[in-house]
Amino acid sequence: MNIKNYFEDEDFLPSVLSGYRPRKQQAEIAEFIHKSMSGHVPAVVEAPTGSGKTLSYLIPALELERKVIISTKTKQLMLQILNKDIPIASKLFGHSPTVYYLKGRRNYFCHERFFRLVYPNSSFYPDAVKWFEGIAENYVIEIPFGMFGGEVIEKMTADSYQCSGSGCQFFAHCSFYRAKEAANASDVIVTNHHLIASDIAMKSKSEFGAVFDFAEHVIFDEAHALPDIYPQFAGSDINLRSFMSLIRENKAHFSPKDVETATGAYNTLLAGVRESRMLLEQMKGDVDRYVETVFRIIEDKTEKEIKDPFTKLKAALVPIRGDEEGVRLCEAGAGSFTVKFIPLIAGDNFREGLKGTCISPLFISATLTAGDSFGYFLSELGYDASEVNALKTGAVFDYETRGRIYVPKGLWNDKNADGIYTSLASRLEGSMLVICNSTRRMEELAALFENTMPHKKIFMQGNVDISDRELETGGIFIGCNIFREGVDFAHTGLKCVVLDKLPFEYPDDAFLKQKSEKVKNNGGNPFMDFFLPRAVIYFKQAVGRLFRHEDDMGLWVVLDDRLLTKNYGKSFMDVLKNVHRVRTLSEALSFLEVCDGKDQAGL
């Protein structure tokens, strides 16, 4: 059957999805994906907000009866796919595929660590022991985050360094491996980018220890995040506190003097921290002294619970202390100190690992292109445009009629912005979302609104769960990348999105600086070929928060007139091509009244 029929024929989606409205783009995307999957050709799709992209790939996958892994960046989308979209798509075929979701290792209970570190000390952890006794017979035990403190959870879970795999005495009961087995036996696996990126990176080196069995397709939803996520796993990172945890958890095998010496060395390392994120070479001497100290204390121990994780930790340090081309960083915070190596080029590594994961991938997101080009995104993942089927669809919503953009002239820094913010917020009855480039600016604006309009409800990123359906219309939401990227504000009555500045990243960031130097050394232009495409994608993400349904309307405000005065401004303006630009604050405020329903005739 023609794949479009599932979307257009009244016996299919219109019959199982209440209020469904056929959209040309949704059927077009599904037809394109069906063709690519049928031919096992890698595909990339930019599907704008509201196009129904999840059903556009689920229906072809189920119709072809393919074994697929679906990877997302956010837990919110993961749950939506599991609890809403797959059940809807399954109704069209008269049968339900077997579906399983798989999360990272730290989400599952570790019997070995529990019975070694918690159960013998049950008087210190009575709640944890009581909880376990009540669910001990469960085939897969997940950790109930929020029930216990971080110290307890750490003792009941294992990371990849602590897990001994098939060598563990509790391997037959291991919740993670039982979940892995159930997932790989399913038709559809739903997971997250971090877990599958880790698995692909592992497979690029060896099949040993792989999490996911081979599938016909991996569907990367919210694929825009991959160029930033994957290099973290293609390299290596280790929290140096792991050596301290190893010593403290096994202190019966160490002398009190050794524990004291290791603790002192770690405290000295933390005392030398000057910035939360810096190049490793800036603290190389401090790191080397700490590592030499803990190595001297640990390396002659033969107990399995010490020797095995220590061997893995040492191996993780090799690329970090090596000379392979890449960026070596250290990041400190809240008693932790992480060192990491991130390769500057990870695309070939990604392609190699993906060969062991699937026949052909699908990359899909609302924000993958800069201009009309997928070039930046594909090159970061090791692909040439000529080897990938590509589709970019037009906007679903009527931005031209139902939206306006306001760009004040002469404004590209914080000066004079306060009056605009307060004018917008005081006139608007619906909600307003403000996207900042830094937490410092986010906090400044929160203070501004709290001082000038205490009657307004202020919601800051990190302090609110945006999925809370009780959030009231009329609030002011202030955030950075988390609020910008894929969060649905539809239930908040959002009518205005403000970009405090164009979303350029700081070029002096340790990783971005070396990445841009690599672009330059390869004959490229760091600004045009690296920073600009990334900023345009971030801009798309931000403006995409405003419209979620056909009857939405609202105002975009960009407090940065480089949008109008710089040649590269066109790259951003093209995102809202044909949207009418209001010239004055007065016009902007008048349009907000229309958005609030006071003067619909004004539209």
Side-chain angles (χ1 to χ4, degrees), residues 277-312:
R277 177 179 166 101
M278 66 190 95
L279 290 173
L280 180 57
E281 64 185 33
Q282 295 176 255
M283 290 197 66
K284 185 177 185 304
D286 303 78
V287 169
D288 286 347
R289 281 187 288 275
Y290 166 73
V291 168
E292 288 165 8
T293 299
V294 293
F295 273 31
R296 188 171 61 252
I297 292 171
I298 301 174
E299 59 189 354
D300 62 342
K301 300 299 179 184
T302 58
E303 293 81 6
K304 181 178 176 60
E305 62 268 30
I306 300 174
K307 184 177 180 179
D308 287 356
F310 181 57
T311 299
K312 293 179 183 178

mmCIF file of all heavy atoms in Angstrom, residues 277-312:
data_model
loop_
_atom_site.group_PDB
_atom_site.id
_atom_site.type_symbol
_atom_site.label_atom_id
_atom_site.label_comp_id
_atom_site.label_asym_id
_atom_site.label_seq_id
_atom_site.Cartn_x
_atom_site.Cartn_y
_atom_site.Cartn_z
ATOM 1 N N ARG A 277 36.227 25.034 34.185
ATOM 2 C CA ARG A 277 36.573 24.310 32.949
ATOM 3 C C ARG A 277 37.805 24.959 32.346
ATOM 4 O O ARG A 277 37.810 26.174 32.105
ATOM 5 C CB ARG A 277 35.393 24.375 31.981
ATOM 6 C CG ARG A 277 35.633 23.720 30.600
ATOM 7 C CD ARG A 277 34.362 23.863 29.781
ATOM 8 N NE ARG A 277 34.527 23.586 28.374
ATOM 9 C CZ ARG A 277 34.179 22.447 27.776
ATOM 10 N NH1 ARG A 277 33.668 21.472 28.487
ATOM 11 N NH2 ARG A 277 34.325 22.277 26.476
ATOM 12 N N MET A 278 38.828 24.165 32.117
ATOM 13 C CA MET A 278 40.065 24.716 31.564
ATOM 14 C C MET A 278 40.818 23.616 30.832
ATOM 15 O O MET A 278 40.483 22.423 30.927
ATOM 16 C CB MET A 278 40.914 25.317 32.679
ATOM 17 C CG MET A 278 41.457 24.313 33.682
ATOM 18 S SD MET A 278 42.214 25.095 35.122
ATOM 19 C CE MET A 278 40.830 25.074 36.252
ATOM 20 N N LEU A 279 41.859 24.019 30.103
ATOM 21 C CA LEU A 279 42.706 23.041 29.441
ATOM 22 C C LEU A 279 43.466 22.230 30.489
ATOM 23 O O LEU A 279 43.939 22.776 31.487
ATOM 24 C CB LEU A 279 43.684 23.737 28.505
ATOM 25 C CG LEU A 279 43.093 24.378 27.244
ATOM 26 C CD1 LEU A 279 44.153 25.173 26.498
ATOM 27 C CD2 LEU A 279 42.491 23.316 26.332
ATOM 28 N N LEU A 280 43.606 20.954 30.245
ATOM 29 C CA LEU A 280 44.265 20.068 31.198
ATOM 30 C C LEU A 280 45.706 20.499 31.446
ATOM 31 O O LEU A 280 46.217 20.359 32.565
ATOM 32 C CB LEU A 280 44.215 18.628 30.686
ATOM 33 C CG LEU A 280 44.869 17.553 31.556
ATOM 34 C CD1 LEU A 280 44.275 17.532 32.953
ATOM 35 C CD2 LEU A 280 44.739 16.184 30.896
ATOM 36 N N GLU A 281 46.358 21.039 30.419
ATOM 37 C CA GLU A 281 47.759 21.434 30.578
ATOM 38 C C GLU A 281 47.933 22.496 31.654
ATOM 39 O O GLU A 281 49.010 22.631 32.237
ATOM 40 C CB GLU A 281 48.314 21.938 29.246
ATOM 41 C CG GLU A 281 47.660 23.192 28.723
ATOM 42 C CD GLU A 281 48.165 23.568 27.337
ATOM 43 O OE1 GLU A 281 48.488 22.667 26.532
ATOM 44 O OE2 GLU A 281 48.207 24.784 27.069
ATOM 45 N N GLN A 282 46.859 23.253 31.946
ATOM 46 C CA GLN A 282 46.938 24.271 32.984
ATOM 47 C C GLN A 282 47.059 23.669 34.382
ATOM 48 O O GLN A 282 47.486 24.349 35.315
ATOM 49 C CB GLN A 282 45.709 25.188 32.928
ATOM 50 C CG GLN A 282 45.617 26.014 31.656
ATOM 51 C CD GLN A 282 44.333 26.823 31.601
ATOM 52 O OE1 GLN A 282 43.395 26.508 30.886
ATOM 53 N NE2 GLN A 282 44.284 27.885 32.390
ATOM 54 N N MET A 283 46.655 22.405 34.530
ATOM 55 C CA MET A 283 46.757 21.750 35.837
ATOM 56 C C MET A 283 47.498 20.423 35.738
ATOM 57 O O MET A 283 47.335 19.535 36.588
ATOM 58 C CB MET A 283 45.363 21.530 36.443
ATOM 59 C CG MET A 283 44.682 22.809 36.883
ATOM 60 S SD MET A 283 43.302 22.504 38.011
ATOM 61 C CE MET A 283 44.137 21.829 39.459
ATOM 62 N N LYS A 284 48.305 20.272 34.710
ATOM 63 C CA LYS A 284 48.963 18.994 34.460
ATOM 64 C C LYS A 284 49.817 18.539 35.649
ATOM 65 O O LYS A 284 49.774 17.376 36.061
ATOM 66 C CB LYS A 284 49.834 19.076 33.202
ATOM 67 C CG LYS A 284 50.461 17.739 32.799
ATOM 68 C CD LYS A 284 51.253 17.867 31.511
ATOM 69 C CE LYS A 284 51.775 16.504 31.061
ATOM 70 N NZ LYS A 284 52.591 15.822 32.078
ATOM 71 N N GLY A 285 50.574 19.452 36.227
ATOM 72 C CA GLY A 285 51.420 19.091 37.358
ATOM 73 C C GLY A 285 50.602 18.606 38.542
ATOM 74 O O GLY A 285 50.941 17.590 39.171
ATOM 75 N N ASP A 286 49.502 19.311 38.859
ATOM 76 C CA ASP A 286 48.644 18.924 39.979
ATOM 77 C C ASP A 286 48.022 17.553 39.733
ATOM 78 O O ASP A 286 47.955 16.716 40.640
ATOM 79 C CB ASP A 286 47.532 19.963 40.166
ATOM 80 C CG ASP A 286 48.066 21.358 40.385
ATOM 81 O OD1 ASP A 286 48.468 22.007 39.393
ATOM 82 O OD2 ASP A 286 48.089 21.801 41.538
ATOM 83 N N VAL A 287 47.552 17.344 38.491
ATOM 84 C CA VAL A 287 46.920 16.069 38.154
ATOM 85 C C VAL A 287 47.933 14.927 38.234
ATOM 86 O O VAL A 287 47.658 13.862 38.803
ATOM 87 C CB VAL A 287 46.280 16.126 36.749
ATOM 88 C CG1 VAL A 287 45.851 14.735 36.289
ATOM 89 C CG2 VAL A 287 45.091 17.084 36.753
ATOM 90 N N ASP A 288 49.123 15.144 37.684
ATOM 91 C CA ASP A 288 50.153 14.093 37.691
ATOM 92 C C ASP A 288 50.529 13.697 39.114
ATOM 93 O O ASP A 288 50.698 12.510 39.425
ATOM 94 C CB ASP A 288 51.392 14.557 36.933
ATOM 95 C CG ASP A 288 51.188 14.576 35.428
ATOM 96 O OD1 ASP A 288 50.190 13.997 34.959
ATOM 97 O OD2 ASP A 288 52.024 15.184 34.717
ATOM 98 N N ARG A 289 50.649 14.691 39.991
ATOM 99 C CA ARG A 289 51.026 14.382 41.376
ATOM 100 C C ARG A 289 49.937 13.560 42.071
ATOM 101 O O ARG A 289 50.240 12.614 42.808
ATOM 102 C CB ARG A 289 51.304 15.681 42.146
ATOM 103 C CG ARG A 289 52.671 16.278 41.851
ATOM 104 C CD ARG A 289 52.973 17.460 42.758
ATOM 105 N NE ARG A 289 52.168 18.639 42.410
ATOM 106 C CZ ARG A 289 52.500 19.526 41.473
ATOM 107 N NH1 ARG A 289 53.630 19.376 40.794
ATOM 108 N NH2 ARG A 289 51.737 20.561 41.221
ATOM 109 N N TYR A 290 48.688 13.919 41.839
ATOM 110 C CA TYR A 290 47.583 13.161 42.450
ATOM 111 C C TYR A 290 47.550 11.734 41.902
ATOM 112 O O TYR A 290 47.448 10.762 42.667
ATOM 113 C CB TYR A 290 46.257 13.870 42.178
ATOM 114 C CG TYR A 290 45.052 13.009 42.478
ATOM 115 C CD1 TYR A 290 44.682 12.727 43.791
ATOM 116 C CD2 TYR A 290 44.293 12.441 41.453
ATOM 117 C CE1 TYR A 290 43.589 11.916 44.074
ATOM 118 C CE2 TYR A 290 43.200 11.632 41.728
ATOM 119 C CZ TYR A 290 42.850 11.377 43.035
ATOM 120 O OH TYR A 290 41.775 10.570 43.310
ATOM 121 N N VAL A 291 47.641 11.600 40.577
ATOM 122 C CA VAL A 291 47.580 10.278 39.950
ATOM 123 C C VAL A 291 48.730 9.398 40.435
ATOM 124 O O VAL A 291 48.543 8.213 40.751
ATOM 125 C CB VAL A 291 47.594 10.406 38.413
ATOM 126 C CG1 VAL A 291 47.825 9.050 37.746
ATOM 127 C CG2 VAL A 291 46.293 11.025 37.920
ATOM 128 N N GLU A 292 49.922 9.956 40.518
ATOM 129 C CA GLU A 292 51.069 9.177 40.994
ATOM 130 C C GLU A 292 50.855 8.712 42.426
ATOM 131 O O GLU A 292 51.221 7.580 42.802
ATOM 132 C CB GLU A 292 52.344 10.021 40.894
ATOM 133 C CG GLU A 292 52.821 10.228 39.456
ATOM 134 C CD GLU A 292 53.857 11.338 39.342
ATOM 135 O OE1 GLU A 292 54.298 11.835 40.406
ATOM 136 O OE2 GLU A 292 54.202 11.703 38.209
ATOM 137 N N THR A 293 50.231 9.546 43.242
ATOM 138 C CA THR A 293 49.976 9.181 44.639
ATOM 139 C C THR A 293 49.005 8.013 44.739
ATOM 140 O O THR A 293 49.262 7.021 45.438
ATOM 141 C CB THR A 293 49.425 10.393 45.419
ATOM 142 O OG1 THR A 293 50.385 11.453 45.405
ATOM 143 C CG2 THR A 293 49.112 10.014 46.856
ATOM 144 N N VAL A 294 47.842 8.116 44.051
ATOM 145 C CA VAL A 294 46.845 7.049 44.173
ATOM 146 C C VAL A 294 47.326 5.767 43.475
ATOM 147 O O VAL A 294 47.018 4.658 43.931
ATOM 148 C CB VAL A 294 45.464 7.488 43.638
ATOM 149 C CG1 VAL A 294 44.875 8.580 44.518
ATOM 150 C CG2 VAL A 294 45.520 7.935 42.193
ATOM 151 N N PHE A 295 48.093 5.904 42.392
ATOM 152 C CA PHE A 295 48.639 4.714 41.744
ATOM 153 C C PHE A 295 49.546 3.955 42.719
ATOM 154 O O PHE A 295 49.491 2.729 42.819
ATOM 155 C CB PHE A 295 49.431 5.097 40.489
ATOM 156 C CG PHE A 295 48.600 5.215 39.247
ATOM 157 C CD1 PHE A 295 47.269 5.613 39.315
ATOM 158 C CD2 PHE A 295 49.131 4.945 38.007
ATOM 159 C CE1 PHE A 295 46.490 5.732 38.173
ATOM 160 C CE2 PHE A 295 48.368 5.045 36.853
ATOM 161 C CZ PHE A 295 47.048 5.449 36.943
ATOM 162 N N ARG A 296 50.384 4.700 43.409
ATOM 163 C CA ARG A 296 51.322 4.084 44.349
ATOM 164 C C ARG A 296 50.574 3.345 45.460
ATOM 165 O O ARG A 296 50.994 2.282 45.914
ATOM 166 C CB ARG A 296 52.227 5.169 44.938
ATOM 167 C CG ARG A 296 53.380 4.621 45.786
ATOM 168 C CD ARG A 296 54.363 5.718 46.163
ATOM 169 N NE ARG A 296 53.760 6.785 46.949
ATOM 170 C CZ ARG A 296 53.509 8.015 46.476
ATOM 171 N NH1 ARG A 296 53.832 8.327 45.235
ATOM 172 N NH2 ARG A 296 52.960 8.933 47.260
ATOM 173 N N ILE A 297 49.429 3.872 45.858
ATOM 174 C CA ILE A 297 48.657 3.276 46.945
ATOM 175 C C ILE A 297 47.866 2.049 46.478
ATOM 176 O O ILE A 297 47.745 1.055 47.203
ATOM 177 C CB ILE A 297 47.698 4.330 47.550
ATOM 178 C CG1 ILE A 297 48.513 5.409 48.284
ATOM 179 C CG2 ILE A 297 46.668 3.692 48.481
ATOM 180 C CD1 ILE A 297 47.695 6.602 48.716
ATOM 181 N N ILE A 298 47.366 2.089 45.237
ATOM 182 C CA ILE A 298 46.427 1.057 44.764
ATOM 183 C C ILE A 298 47.094 -0.064 43.977
ATOM 184 O O ILE A 298 46.684 -1.223 44.065
ATOM 185 C CB ILE A 298 45.323 1.704 43.883
ATOM 186 C CG1 ILE A 298 44.546 2.761 44.663
ATOM 187 C CG2 ILE A 298 44.361 0.642 43.351
ATOM 188 C CD1 ILE A 298 43.545 3.535 43.822
ATOM 189 N N GLU A 299 48.147 0.241 43.202
ATOM 190 C CA GLU A 299 48.557 -0.679 42.141
ATOM 191 C C GLU A 299 49.067 -2.050 42.599
ATOM 192 O O GLU A 299 49.079 -2.994 41.806
ATOM 193 C CB GLU A 299 49.592 -0.023 41.238
ATOM 194 C CG GLU A 299 50.856 0.423 41.910
ATOM 195 C CD GLU A 299 51.707 1.246 40.952
ATOM 196 O OE1 GLU A 299 51.338 1.345 39.769
ATOM 197 O OE2 GLU A 299 52.736 1.793 41.387
ATOM 198 N N ASP A 300 49.445 -2.212 43.856
ATOM 199 C CA ASP A 300 49.920 -3.538 44.275
ATOM 200 C C ASP A 300 48.804 -4.384 44.900
ATOM 201 O O ASP A 300 49.045 -5.502 45.357
ATOM 202 C CB ASP A 300 51.076 -3.404 45.265
ATOM 203 C CG ASP A 300 50.667 -2.700 46.546
ATOM 204 O OD1 ASP A 300 49.608 -2.027 46.544
ATOM 205 O OD2 ASP A 300 51.398 -2.809 47.551
ATOM 206 N N LYS A 301 47.574 -3.877 44.893
ATOM 207 C CA LYS A 301 46.458 -4.626 45.473
ATOM 208 C C LYS A 301 45.995 -5.707 44.494
ATOM 209 O O LYS A 301 45.865 -5.465 43.292
ATOM 210 C CB LYS A 301 45.280 -3.694 45.800
ATOM 211 C CG LYS A 301 45.627 -2.592 46.799
ATOM 212 C CD LYS A 301 46.079 -3.165 48.141
ATOM 213 C CE LYS A 301 46.450 -2.067 49.125
ATOM 214 N NZ LYS A 301 46.969 -2.598 50.394
ATOM 215 N N THR A 302 45.719 -6.893 45.010
ATOM 216 C CA THR A 302 45.345 -8.022 44.158
ATOM 217 C C THR A 302 43.879 -8.425 44.309
ATOM 218 O O THR A 302 43.402 -9.278 43.563
ATOM 219 C CB THR A 302 46.225 -9.240 44.494
ATOM 220 O OG1 THR A 302 46.060 -9.567 45.884
ATOM 221 C CG2 THR A 302 47.697 -8.939 44.197
ATOM 222 N N GLU A 303 43.168 -7.817 45.258
ATOM 223 C CA GLU A 303 41.756 -8.149 45.434
ATOM 224 C C GLU A 303 40.973 -7.785 44.174
ATOM 225 O O GLU A 303 41.122 -6.681 43.636
ATOM 226 C CB GLU A 303 41.173 -7.409 46.641
ATOM 227 C CG GLU A 303 41.748 -7.852 47.979
ATOM 228 C CD GLU A 303 43.095 -7.206 48.283
ATOM 229 O OE1 GLU A 303 43.521 -6.321 47.495
ATOM 230 O OE2 GLU A 303 43.728 -7.578 49.297
ATOM 231 N N LYS A 304 40.107 -8.665 43.717
ATOM 232 C CA LYS A 304 39.373 -8.476 42.465
ATOM 233 C C LYS A 304 38.556 -7.185 42.457
ATOM 234 O O LYS A 304 38.510 -6.460 41.454
ATOM 235 C CB LYS A 304 38.453 -9.669 42.216
ATOM 236 C CG LYS A 304 37.656 -9.590 40.909
ATOM 237 C CD LYS A 304 36.800 -10.838 40.716
ATOM 238 C CE LYS A 304 35.932 -10.732 39.471
ATOM 239 N NZ LYS A 304 36.715 -10.563 38.238
ATOM 240 N N GLU A 305 37.884 -6.884 43.584
ATOM 241 C CA GLU A 305 37.026 -5.698 43.634
ATOM 242 C C GLU A 305 37.830 -4.400 43.548
ATOM 243 O O GLU A 305 37.263 -3.334 43.319
ATOM 244 C CB GLU A 305 36.157 -5.705 44.902
ATOM 245 C CG GLU A 305 36.925 -5.674 46.218
ATOM 246 C CD GLU A 305 37.210 -7.073 46.755
ATOM 247 O OE1 GLU A 305 37.350 -8.014 45.955
ATOM 248 O OE2 GLU A 305 37.290 -7.210 47.988
ATOM 249 N N ILE A 306 39.159 -4.501 43.735
ATOM 250 C CA ILE A 306 40.031 -3.333 43.579
ATOM 251 C C ILE A 306 40.767 -3.391 42.244
ATOM 252 O O ILE A 306 40.798 -2.407 41.488
ATOM 253 C CB ILE A 306 41.060 -3.256 44.732
ATOM 254 C CG1 ILE A 306 40.362 -3.148 46.081
ATOM 255 C CG2 ILE A 306 42.005 -2.070 44.515
ATOM 256 C CD1 ILE A 306 41.298 -3.207 47.272
ATOM 257 N N LYS A 307 41.331 -4.534 41.949
ATOM 258 C CA LYS A 307 42.196 -4.674 40.770
ATOM 259 C C LYS A 307 41.438 -4.441 39.466
ATOM 260 O O LYS A 307 41.934 -3.730 38.565
ATOM 261 C CB LYS A 307 42.830 -6.058 40.760
ATOM 262 C CG LYS A 307 43.830 -6.266 39.620
ATOM 263 C CD LYS A 307 44.489 -7.641 39.703
ATOM 264 C CE LYS A 307 45.480 -7.833 38.567
ATOM 265 N NZ LYS A 307 46.144 -9.157 38.643
ATOM 266 N N ASP A 308 40.231 -5.009 39.319
ATOM 267 C CA ASP A 308 39.499 -4.909 38.053
ATOM 268 C C ASP A 308 39.103 -3.464 37.721
ATOM 269 O O ASP A 308 39.397 -2.983 36.620
ATOM 270 C CB ASP A 308 38.267 -5.804 38.080
ATOM 271 C CG ASP A 308 38.630 -7.276 37.970
ATOM 272 O OD1 ASP A 308 39.832 -7.583 37.799
ATOM 273 O OD2 ASP A 308 37.725 -8.127 38.064
ATOM 274 N N PRO A 309 38.439 -2.735 38.620
ATOM 275 C CA PRO A 309 38.115 -1.345 38.285
ATOM 276 C C PRO A 309 39.355 -0.461 38.126
ATOM 277 O O PRO A 309 39.367 0.442 37.293
ATOM 278 C CB PRO A 309 37.234 -0.878 39.451
ATOM 279 C CG PRO A 309 37.447 -1.848 40.547
ATOM 280 C CD PRO A 309 37.807 -3.144 39.891
ATOM 281 N N PHE A 310 40.403 -0.745 38.902
ATOM 282 C CA PHE A 310 41.632 0.044 38.780
ATOM 283 C C PHE A 310 42.242 -0.128 37.391
ATOM 284 O O PHE A 310 42.722 0.833 36.774
ATOM 285 C CB PHE A 310 42.630 -0.371 39.861
ATOM 286 C CG PHE A 310 43.917 0.408 39.840
ATOM 287 C CD1 PHE A 310 43.909 1.792 39.940
ATOM 288 C CD2 PHE A 310 45.139 -0.244 39.732
ATOM 289 C CE1 PHE A 310 45.096 2.517 39.926
ATOM 290 C CE2 PHE A 310 46.328 0.466 39.718
ATOM 291 C CZ PHE A 310 46.311 1.849 39.815
ATOM 292 N N THR A 311 42.210 -1.347 36.867
ATOM 293 C CA THR A 311 42.742 -1.604 35.523
ATOM 294 C C THR A 311 41.969 -0.799 34.478
ATOM 295 O O THR A 311 42.551 -0.219 33.549
ATOM 296 C CB THR A 311 42.654 -3.107 35.196
ATOM 297 O OG1 THR A 311 43.442 -3.836 36.144
ATOM 298 C CG2 THR A 311 43.169 -3.395 33.799
ATOM 299 N N LYS A 312 40.645 -0.743 34.618
ATOM 300 C CA LYS A 312 39.817 0.016 33.672
ATOM 301 C C LYS A 312 40.071 1.522 33.795
ATOM 302 O O LYS A 312 40.132 2.237 32.792
ATOM 303 C CB LYS A 312 38.334 -0.277 33.911
ATOM 304 C CG LYS A 312 37.933 -1.702 33.593
ATOM 305 C CD LYS A 312 36.445 -1.893 33.892
ATOM 306 C CE LYS A 312 35.996 -3.312 33.657
ATOM 307 N NZ LYS A 312 34.564 -3.520 33.980
#
